[in-house]
Amino acid sequence: MIILPAIDLHEGQCVRLRQGDYATAHIVAESALDTAGDFRRQGACWMHMVDLDGAKSGKPQNASLIFDVAQKSGLHVEVGGGIRDMATVELYLEHSVSRVILGSAALRDPGFVKEAVGKYGKKIAVGIDALGGKAAAQGWTEKSQTDYIDLAKQMEALGVEFIICTDIQQDGMLAGPNLEMLDKLNRAVSCNIIASGGVSCLGDIQSLYDLGLYGAIAGKAVYTGALDLEEAVIACQRISPRPPKTHRVMEDELGRYFQKAELLPAIVQEEGTGDVLMLAYMNRESLEKTLKTGYTWFYSRSRQALWKKGETSGHIQLVRAIYADCDDDTLLIQVEQTGPACHTGRHSCFYKELRRGR
């Protein structure tokens, strides 16, 4: 699951609201760019930004600041608020924004959503903000009579791959996300769901992770210190209990690990004992197969081919967790090992002792 720390912009300032009420806006950070840099240092790869003024006015109001963050932060940035025509979509995408979020347009102009998705595909997301199960629009100032799941199904039919779902009653309250609402939505559509609103602690992140969601947005909890962003990112760098809904999503999640090289060293550790069993290498395809099947697959540098551990010997490795190191260039794979891990018949490949300390 991907964690997206959030920055909401109001009159050029980084703010947070309670339940979407603009009267509750209070400044939470001095500089959007500096804050984005902090997010990156804590391990985030994506960031969620909202132009609150744009959401109310229907056109961008803080675009130059958003461009600056998208171009200089080193993060993938998704942006929502006031994006209601193709010219605005193109404006953001031309200035290094990775994904734009269509909100009110989903209710009022589904033709525009279809056009945007048809042209830009996964660079388009739809934001569904719900109050009492009904979708809201115009910066949350107007409530419709459209059920949030019905709207999601309409968006799915238009080809939308990403939906950001916010329970307005939970937003900014640090009272926990609406898990029932999110689970129903995730089960109702094939779209990849990003949860927004109410995240208060690491436990909430774990609960969202257990639902098999694609991502979770964290705002107020990060600023107050109730949620340690680095811990949240680390907690979500494991095998999801449910596989990604589309291959494209898996590509998005795995891309960060292959920016430096095509092969990653993978340290295999027995979960029950903590013993280091072996070292092998993974390319993108073998990592994908490992994630999809739940058993270890590697890449042989000598044969230049994929291989599944235990395919001939029966000494398979059932994957329990996968972690990345601080630089995202080495993997630790915790497994349940069947039989010996080494081809010599030994439990571990690391049996040749060179030196022992006093």
Side-chain angles (χ1 to χ4, degrees):
M1 188 172 77
I2 294 172
I3 301 295
L4 301 94
I7 292 180
D8 292 352
L9 298 172
H10 176 48
E11 298 178 352
Q13 301 288 335
C14 304
V15 305
R16 295 303 296 166
L17 308 182
R18 294 182 64 189
Q19 297 180 326
D21 184 354
Y22 283 62
T24 66
H26 61 281
I27 297 173
V28 292
E30 293 297 322
S31 165
L33 184 57
D34 290 347
T35 301
D38 288 340
F39 291 159
R40 187 184 182 192
R41 283 187 287 275
Q42 293 176 75
C45 286
W46 278 84
M47 185 173 68
H48 177 83
M49 298 190 77
V50 178
D51 182 348
L52 294 173
D53 305 308
K56 287 187 72 173
S57 68
K59 57 185 179 181
Q61 299 294 321
N62 294 278
S64 60
L65 184 52
I66 293 170
F67 298 160
D68 197 39
V69 172
Q71 292 166 355
K72 298 177 182 179
S73 68
L75 296 172
H76 294 293
V77 176
E78 66 174 26
V79 175
I83 305 173
R84 297 174 193 171
D85 54 51
M86 286 298 291
T88 305
V89 170
E90 291 164 358
L91 176 69
Y92 277 123
L93 294 179
E94 288 170 357
H95 287 83
S96 302
V97 168
S98 297
R99 187 159 59 214
V100 297
I101 306 163
L102 310 182
S104 298
L107 279 169
R108 298 179 174 177
D109 193 355
F112 163 46
V113 176
K114 183 177 181 179
E115 180 185 5
V117 171
K119 187 171 183 179
Y120 294 110
K122 65 176 183 177
K123 293 184 178 181
I124 304 298
V126 164
I128 297 181
D129 306 321
L131 185 61
K134 303 297 182 181
Q138 203 73 18
W140 295 357
T141 60
E142 298 178 9
K143 181 180 176 182
S144 75
Q145 294 304 309
T146 303
D147 182 82
Y148 78 103
I149 288 182
D150 290 342
L151 180 59
K153 289 181 177 179
Q154 293 172 26
M155 295 301 103
E156 178 185 30
L158 296 178
V160 172
E161 291 188 38
F162 295 89
I163 290 177
I164 294 145
C165 182
T166 306
D167 181 351
I168 296 173
Q169 290 178 314
Q170 302 298 108
D171 188 71
M173 300 302 291
L174 295 180
N178 189 330
L179 299 176
E180 180 180 359
M181 173 183 174
L182 291 163
D183 190 39
K184 284 182 179 179
L185 179 60
N186 195 40
R187 294 177 184 277
V189 296
S190 63
C191 308
N192 300 288
I193 307 302
I194 300 175
S196 174
V199 168
S200 64
C201 61
L202 190 60
D204 290 336
I205 295 296
Q206 180 66 56
S207 296
L208 295 171
Y209 176 93
D210 290 342
L211 294 182
L213 303 186
Y214 168 76
I217 294 168
K220 188 173 182 180
V222 173
Y223 293 107
T224 63
L227 176 68
D228 185 305
L229 179 59
E230 184 174 3
E231 286 187 359
V233 171
I234 292 171
C236 292
Q237 289 181 346
R238 298 175 291 153
I239 288 181
S240 173
R242 300 177 188 173
K245 293 183 177 180
T246 69
H247 182 71
R248 284 182 177 177
V249 173
M250 184 174 285
E251 288 180 345
D252 288 346
E253 293 180 348
L254 301 187
R256 63 188 294 178
Y257 305 113
F258 295 94
Q259 294 179 4
K260 299 176 182 178
E262 294 181 358
L263 293 178
L264 284 177
I267 302 165
V268 181
Q269 179 186 45
E270 189 170 40
E271 182 190 40
T273 65
D275 292 343
V276 175
L277 301 178
M278 57 183 283
L279 171 69
Y281 288 85
M282 286 184 162
N283 63 2
R284 183 189 291 263
E285 185 179 0
S286 65
L287 180 53
E288 287 180 359
K289 289 180 75 70
T290 298
L291 289 167
K292 286 180 178 179
T293 66
Y295 294 91
T296 54
W297 285 79
F298 303 104
Y299 180 81
S300 170
R301 294 175 295 172
S302 59
R303 300 192 304 271
Q304 295 189 342
L306 298 185
W307 62 282
K308 179 184 178 182
K309 178 64 177 174
E311 190 167 23
T312 56
S313 68
H315 300 156
I316 58 174
Q317 294 173 342
L318 177 62
V319 177
R320 292 304 188 186
I322 298 180
Y323 299 91
D325 75 338
C326 57
D327 296 318
D328 289 334
D329 57 12
T330 303
L331 299 178
L332 174 65
I333 304 177
Q334 293 183 336
V335 303
E336 180 182 314
Q337 176 71 45
T338 299
C342 184
H343 73 281
T344 64
R346 290 175 170 83
H347 181 61
S348 168
C349 293
F350 295 95
Y351 61 87
K352 298 179 180 179
E353 184 175 311
L354 300 184
R355 182 177 179 180
R356 184 184 293 271
R358 292 181 180 177

